[in-house]
Amino acid sequence: MDFAVVTLLDYGAGNVRSVRNAIRHLGFQIKDVQTPKDILNARRLIFPGVGAFAPAMDVLNNTGMGEALCSYIQNDRPFLGICLGLQLLFESSDENGPVGGLGIIPGVVGRFDSSHGFRVPHIGWNALQITKDSEILDDIGNRHVYFVHSYRAMPSNENKEWISSTCNYGDEFIASVRRGNVHAVQFHPEKSGGKQCWSFSIEEVFASKVIFDRGRLYRSVLKGRHRNLRRGDIASLQVIACLDVRANDEGDLVVTKGDQYDVREHAEQSKVRNLGKPVELAGQYYNDGADEVSFLNITGFRDFPLGDVPMLQVLRCASENVFVPLTVGGGIRDFTDLNGRYYSSLEVASEYFRSGADKISIGSDAVHAAEAYLKTKVKTGKSSIEQISRVYGNQAVVVSIDPRRVYLNDPSDVEFKSIKLTSPGKQNFLVQMEKNMPGINARQTEFCHNHLHPGFSADGGLLVINGGREGRPIGAYELAKAVEELGAGEILLNCIDCDGQGKGFDIDLVKMISDAVSIPVIASSGAGVSEHFSDVFSKTNASAALAAGIFHRKEVPVQSVKEHLLKEGIEVRT
Ligand code: 1PR
């Protein structure tokens, strides 16, 4: 029946699957907009958007949907815009622009100013300052909601009658607007923690009263890293659960976990470790309070991801029940299949987005792109990072870095940036490479030793690709800077030496990289106890910390990590 139908405007870019799942989860049917007439005839319309402003406006202008949308909104018909669905209501955006918007709300959408020391994109969980009554914000209180964006609209005298809430992230920006039946939010209710955050009341005329769980209000004592900030200026720091996924020897897709990237059992030599089923574990970590779940298809470098139906299926199923952001990586690059058909990395990423990913993560291909860029200093616009960020926005592109320490006698021996370790490690690079990286043979090792010395540690660090099988002549620092310039929105910083060791994150590495770039950095590899999370948050500028083994082996649940962080005065979402 019509009262249970929501009309969805999906212009073909961005992850609309998560919004679809959230709407269905609440018992609504979805009618997709096919023509401008569907907009004009809608009883209630939702316009979600993750992506870049200009391509979205192109579609709206070229299909006549923009005009229909303006007419629908000007007639005060029930509307909910999400993220880009809010930004497009403004007059214009600076994103690859200026580009004209729908012009319904006065103001220009501009980029966050990173000179305040805040990382751009703004990715994470924040509290809102509610400025006027808005049904969709009823009960939200001080609850954190999830944002992911590089651009924002600012309050002004001209648009103040629209504003229903603001948020602080360096600047005060508009978090939501409301006029009559028209609502739009910059945050993602569908990713802000589940049904309790996104519940439609059918009795309402619009049936889109988004009710936020009153939840347990959290007011942290601000200290440590947050000492000088006011509440509301703070994006809470995130705890991420990571699932390394691959087919085991029986051909089943399993969650596995390596020691320094070796995922085979030591006892049963050849068996791939099986730590559980990807969809089940993702659901469990979501219920446990993880702020994000990452899937890394660790053999994606050698397979064609679009042929990997089980992996895409995992994503589809996980996104039906996990209402926090999902990141997916592995194999995102240009590809030519056995029939000679060429797929661009953008096509590969688009399939991941359509299957439920909110962000994609690029590993090996980012190294190739950075090497080419550093050689020529020319942005060709053709790398996977550039192609995907142009269409989906920087915030949707994570670069996963896999560095390995290289110990040097004299840092001046190398052309890449190296740092002095605060706690020195093993000194024999050759032994370590041969022992732990069976994929690197003696000749390659010698080559690495003589020529690659990129790095980060006492000396140096080597970057590897293809799951650790190949070293490349580029340092972690140089790679991070280059991918930021190419348009990556976030860095997932692994460390092969620390992976699976449970001895703590590589603080020196995380500090070096998080100080070098202005995009958010996720610290990864080595978490063994809750204290390792407070350690990395208090000693570095990481925005998030990721762990795998301790969660899979149920040694430390996500909740315990968060309770510990709260006790230490570190702001996290509860
Ligand atoms: O190169 O674009 O195909 O992407 C491949 C992706 O798979 C990259 O993100 C790369 O980091 C990842 N990967 C490849 N091989 C492995 C492996 O383990 N053999 N895993 C691998 C990366 C590291 C983290 C791990 C943390 C935390 N695993 O994902 O989850 O180190 O672990 P811990 O808390 O247990 O210490 P492409």
Side-chain angles (χ1 to χ4, degrees), residues 37 157 186 259 358 529 535:
K37 218 165 147 195
N157 276 339
Q186 178 61 66
D259 289 326
D358 299 287
V529 292
D535 206 34

Side-chain angles (χ1 to χ4, degrees), residues 242 244 257-258 261-263 296-301 329-332 361-365 400-402 465-469 492 494-495 498-502 524-527 546-550 553:
C242 181
D244 288 354
K257 184 69 215 57
Y261 284 30
D262 180 358
V263 298
L296 295 177
N297 181 356
I298 65 170
T299 51
F301 69 91
I332 297 180
S361 158
I362 309 174
S364 309
D365 202 52
S400 164
I401 301 186
D402 297 316
I465 59 171
N466 296 345
R469 285 160 186 79
L492 164 52
N494 301 300
C495 171
C498 297
D499 175 58
Q501 304 305 294
S524 164
S525 305
L546 171 152
I550 51 166
R553 294 188 299 268

Side-chain angles (χ1 to χ4, degrees), residues 142-188:
N142 261 357
R143 210 187 138 83
H144 289 78
V145 291
Y146 181 72
F147 290 91
V148 52
H149 58 138
S150 302
Y151 291 80
R152 82 293 185 237
M154 312 269 280
S156 70
N157 276 339
E158 288 69 43
N159 60 32
K160 67 174 183 230
E161 56 155 316
W162 277 90
I163 300 170
S164 54
S165 70
T166 60
C167 181
N168 275 305
Y169 189 70
D171 302 315
E172 186 186 27
F173 69 90
I174 298 175
S176 66
V177 295
R178 187 235 171 129
R179 194 164 77 180
N181 287 316
V182 175
H183 302 266
V185 292
Q186 178 61 66
F187 55 89
H188 288 266

Side-chain angles (χ1 to χ4, degrees), residues 401-421:
I401 301 186
D402 297 316
R404 177 169 193 106
R405 286 181 180 179
V406 175
Y407 297 96
L408 304 167
N409 291 327
D410 182 353
S412 66
D413 285 349
V414 296
E415 57 188 286
F416 298 106
K417 186 170 171 70
S418 60
I419 48 167
K420 183 118 185 85
L421 288 177

Side-chain angles (χ1 to χ4, degrees), residues 286-331:
Y286 161 63
N287 287 327
D288 288 352
D291 296 309
E292 181 175 319
V293 175
S294 294
F295 290 103
L296 295 177
N297 181 356
I298 65 170
T299 51
F301 69 91
R302 62 176 180 222
D303 306 320
F304 175 41
L306 297 190
D308 192 347
V309 178
M311 185 64 200
L312 294 172
Q313 195 54 27
V314 160
L315 206 46
R316 288 183 194 120
C317 293
S319 64
E320 277 170 21
N321 294 305
V322 175
F323 297 107
V324 291
L326 290 177
T327 299
V328 165

